[in-house]
Structure formats: structure tokens, C-alpha cells
Amino acid sequence: GQNIDQPTEMTATEGAIVQINCTYQTSGFNGLFWYQQHAGEAPTFLSYNVLDGLEEKGRFSSFLSRSKGYSYLLLKELQMKDSASYLCAVLDSNYQLIWGAGTKLIIKP
Amino acid sequence: DGGITQSPKYLFRKEGQNVTLSCEQNLNHDAMYWYRQDPGQGLRLIYYSQIVNDFQKGDIAEGYSVSREKKESFPLTVTSAQKNPTAFYLCATTGGDVPEQYFGPGTRLTVT
């Protein structure tokens, strides 16, 4: 079966750095996405990785290792507004998105 | 302004009634999707459509129906056969050169 694993919840301090991990086992791979979802709202796109390595976009970076079935989202200089759920999703061989359950990130002052 | 609209934002229905959720887009995207999200869970695919007049079942299609008569519109009907219809419903599209899905604001359906 297809499976994506992320930690259920993480807590970090304002101004700090946090890394949210995602491991996946899917039938085929055509890219990995990270989305941010605030409570009660729709997910918004953060990043897309299809090749191994690190993609940096402002305070957010995303890393992919296809051989290990592993990705992480790195958030720097955390702000209170970063409190949200972070969803990892993989595009499988049929170009369907397989979603993880999401990681709820709690930022403390 | 291009985007995806879903209405209404909140919807309340009595058990045994069918209800239709709307999804409209003016992004000129070919593919449209319906997801369901329950608390603490990821998104689960209900139906998707790659082209007008064609759609495919997702992982949890039972108790739902869709139509795609126009490129811009992909309404979802939650029928009385759906055992646990209370959930957050999200519509999404993809198209063009970018692979990511764009989401509408969602409809929170409560059935009592």
C-alpha cells in the first residue's frame, strides 16, 4: 500500500528553527509537495521537490532524498503566524496526490 | 482575479437529505478534484475530473456523485447514502505548467 508518515504534532519557540520530517512509500514518484494549512482554512502551496537536494524559498526550505523516501521542511526564524498544520504529499506513478495526515506545529512565545 | 470559489462556507443539513456543494474556477484549468478532510487526518480523494464530461472515482467515492458539464464547474452531491457526511470538503484544480494543486476555501458540512 501507499503510505506517508509525518509526526502528528511539534512545538517550537518563536525565532527558532524547526524541521518537519516526512517519509513515504508510494507506487512511483513524480514529486513531493509541502502545503501549509491554518485551522479551518484550505491548504496553500509551499514547495515542490522532484530532484534530490535542498530548495530554499525565503524562511522555508525543503529537502528531498528519493533513495531514502524522505523529505523535510525547514522553517527558520519562526513567527507566531507559522502556527499551522504542514501537509506532505507525494505525486505517485498515476499522477495522483497521496497525502500525509499533517503535522500540527505549535509556536510558543 | 483568477481563483476557485466554493459556496457556501458552512452548510447544515438534516440526515437523509441530499446536498450539493459548488466549486467554480476561472483559472482555465482542465483538472478538478474533490477532497474530504476529517479532524487530524489527511485529505482523501472523492472524485476527480481531467476533462469536461469525464470523471473518475477516488478512494472514497461511495455516497457521493459529481458532474462536469462545464470546464469551470465541478459540483459535488453528498447523498443520503454517505454514512458520515459531516466533514470539511475541499475542491482543487491543476493546470498549465505548474504541478501543484490550487484549493478553494472549502465548505464545512454538518449533518445532524
Side-chain angles (χ1 to χ4, degrees), chain B residues 2-94:
Chain B
I4 307 170
T5 57
Q6 290 185 245
S7 61
K9 190 167 178 65
Y10 298 95
L11 191 54
F12 298 88
R13 279 294 183 271
K14 294 291 187 185
E15 200 172 307
Q17 293 178 332
N18 291 356
V19 60
T20 297
L21 283 58
S22 79
C23 177
E24 304 282 330
Q25 56 107 353
N26 60 4
L27 298 167
N28 200 33
H29 286 174
D30 288 313
M32 298 186 74
Y33 307 82
W34 272 107
Y35 290 98
R36 168 185 174 136
Q37 188 176 35
D38 294 285
Q41 295 191 34
L43 279 64
R44 291 186 289 167
L45 183 64
I46 305 172
Y47 268 99
Y48 65 99
S49 169
Q50 306 275 35
I51 197 168
V52 174
N53 292 323
D54 187 52
F55 48 82
Q56 309 294 329
K57 291 182 179 180
D59 300 321
I60 55 165
E62 186 175 346
Y64 299 97
S65 66
V66 293
S67 63
R68 186 84 187 276
E69 296 175 3
K70 299 186 299 181
K71 188 175 186 177
E72 301 78 18
S73 179
F74 191 39
L76 173 75
T77 296
V78 184
T79 75
S80 56
Q82 167 52 231
K83 299 291 183 226
N84 296 295
T86 295
F88 187 43
Y89 290 88
L90 288 158
C91 178
T93 71
T94 53

Side-chain angles (χ1 to χ4, degrees), chain A residues 33 35 37 39-45 48 87 91 94-102, chain B residues 9 33 35 37 40-43 45 48 50 88 90 99-106 108:
Chain A
F33 298 83
Y35 281 81
Q37 186 178 27
E41 298 181 9
T44 55
F45 170 75
Y48 170 62
L87 310 178
L91 203 58
N94 295 319
Y95 288 89
Q96 294 302 317
L97 267 181
I98 310 301
W99 293 84
Chain B
K9 190 167 178 65
Y33 307 82
Y35 290 98
Q37 188 176 35
Q41 295 191 34
L43 279 64
L45 183 64
Y48 65 99
Q50 306 275 35
F88 187 43
L90 288 158
E100 69 263 27
Q101 291 188 3
Y102 294 90
F103 287 85
R108 190 167 298 279

Side-chain angles (χ1 to χ4, degrees), chain A residues 32-97:
Chain A
L32 185 143
F33 298 83
W34 284 97
Y35 281 81
Q36 180 189 61
Q37 186 178 27
H38 285 100
E41 298 181 9
T44 55
F45 170 75
L46 289 177
S47 67
Y48 170 62
N49 294 69
V50 65
L51 300 176
D52 290 351
L54 187 69
E55 295 275 346
E56 297 186 75
K57 197 184 287 186
R59 294 188 299 116
F60 292 7
S61 303
S62 56
F63 172 83
L64 174 67
S65 169
R66 288 173 296 171
S67 62
K68 294 182 180 178
Y70 167 71
S71 173
Y72 68 72
L73 181 68
L74 191 72
L75 291 73
K76 301 176 185 176
E77 301 168 15
L78 286 169
Q79 301 175 10
M80 297 304 292
K81 67 178 182 179
D82 297 330
S83 292
S85 288
Y86 291 86
L87 310 178
C88 173
V90 172
L91 203 58
D92 70 9
S93 56
N94 295 319
Y95 288 89
Q96 294 302 317
L97 267 181

